Amino acid sequence: MKWRSLEEASPDTDIRPLRDIFAERKELIAKYVPAETQAIHARAVTDLKQQRLAANIIPVGTKIPEFQLQDHDGNTVSSSVLLAKGRLVLSFIRGRWCPFCVAQMEAMNLILPEIEQAGATIAAISPQTVQQSFFMHDQHKLRFPLLSDAKNKVAKQFGLAYRVRDEQKAIYQRAFVNLPFVNGDDSWELPIPATYIIDHDGTVLYASANEDYTERPEPEDVVHFLLS
């Protein structure tokens, strides 16, 4: 199996494993982000882990709830239409402002041919508006739909949504991460990152979620699961 569609990658495409890209981002954060800011983010992750959000998501063997969402072009896309094409790799992300989400989506974009060869498709869901999804899709040249989950309605059905802590909210505001503008509502809610592989009948075959937004499944592992 070829990895990351090297023949299709542009010279500036990062073809390293996602874990290496994330490690580099973490090193930069440790170097340049104030320690007190890092501590607030760490406390937020610890709080989410104590809530055991990842342990209570829709599990393997169950069927997902049906949904209809708008994609980055404003077209209505239903889960039934997506699943009619075969198995679906479905990723829940926070938004285009999150460097870890961007890295994950770029990495998934590179393995799209392998996923399609395995008889599957990809879609990503975030609470950001259709316009923000369009900007992300266009800027990063993504080749799969970005679906806008207004007010995290679908994320809540999957057990992924949470409200941003006040001290973390203050940091986002200082860093110009204006979630009410980006998401189009003032709830300050986000999903924990999650990746699902869903069979054509809506049954969950694979589920991975993590309260730590700096940890995501390796795209190569997703491909291996599809081929196994």
Side-chain angles (χ1 to χ4, degrees):
M1 181 190 75
K2 75 180 188 309
W3 167 232
R4 294 187 178 274
S5 305
L6 299 184
E7 76 283 359
E8 298 182 10
S10 62
D12 59 347
T13 299
D14 196 334
I15 60 174
R16 293 176 296 167
L18 190 59
R19 66 180 71 88
D20 293 347
I21 298 172
F22 276 17
E24 181 180 74
R25 278 163 169 70
K26 292 177 185 179
E27 289 176 4
L28 292 172
I29 289 171
K31 183 176 182 180
Y32 293 109
V33 175
E36 59 270 24
T37 298
Q38 295 183 52
I40 289 172
H41 288 312
R43 285 198 294 271
V45 170
T46 298
D47 179 64
L48 291 175
K49 286 185 177 295
Q50 289 175 345
Q51 295 178 42
R52 294 180 55 80
L53 285 182
N56 293 293
I57 65 171
I58 290 181
V60 171
T62 61
K63 289 195 175 183
I64 66 166
E66 295 185 3
F67 60 79
Q68 285 189 335
L69 298 172
Q70 285 186 299
D71 69 8
H72 54 276
D73 286 325
N75 300 314
T76 299
V77 177
S78 69
S79 54
S80 60
V81 169
L82 291 171
L83 293 171
K85 301 175 183 178
R87 291 176 295 173
L88 173 66
V89 179
L90 187 64
S91 293
F92 285 83
I93 62 172
R94 307 196 302 166
R96 65 188 290 255
W97 53 271
C98 170
F100 295 93
C101 296
V102 169
Q104 181 191 20
M105 292 298 94
E106 289 181 336
M108 296 301 288
N109 200 46
L110 284 171
I111 64 164
L112 179 59
E114 283 74 27
I115 286 177
E116 290 178 338
Q117 288 170 15
T121 58
I122 311 176
I125 294 178
S126 80
Q128 65 191 1
T129 64
V130 170
Q131 184 180 45
Q132 294 295 318
S133 291
F134 174 83
F135 291 153
M136 184 178 189
H137 191 272
D138 181 65
Q139 179 181 358
H140 301 285
K141 299 178 174 58
L142 302 179
R143 296 171 291 168
F144 53 85
L146 298 183
L147 308 179
S148 293
D149 182 19
K151 297 184 179 180
N152 285 286
K153 290 181 180 178
V154 176
K156 288 174 182 175
Q157 290 179 298
F158 277 73
L160 301 169
Y162 70 94
R163 191 177 189 281
V164 174
R165 291 163 56 105
D166 287 343
E167 61 176 354
Q168 194 175 35
K169 173 182 173 181
I171 288 176
Y172 286 152
Q173 290 173 319
R174 289 198 299 270
F176 303 105
V177 178
N178 185 349
L179 288 188
F181 174 76
V182 172
N183 293 350
D185 71 78
D186 59 2
S187 68
W188 283 88
E189 291 180 336
L190 292 171
I192 61 171
T195 298
Y196 286 88
I197 297 175
I198 305 163
D199 208 352
H200 64 89
D201 65 352
T203 302
V204 176
L205 302 175
Y206 169 98
S208 174
N210 199 317
E211 296 92 348
D212 186 344
Y213 57 89
T214 70
E215 299 291 338
R216 318 281 173 104
E218 192 67 33
E220 184 178 17
D221 295 337
V222 173
V223 173
H224 284 166
F225 184 93
L226 289 169
L227 294 175
S228 63

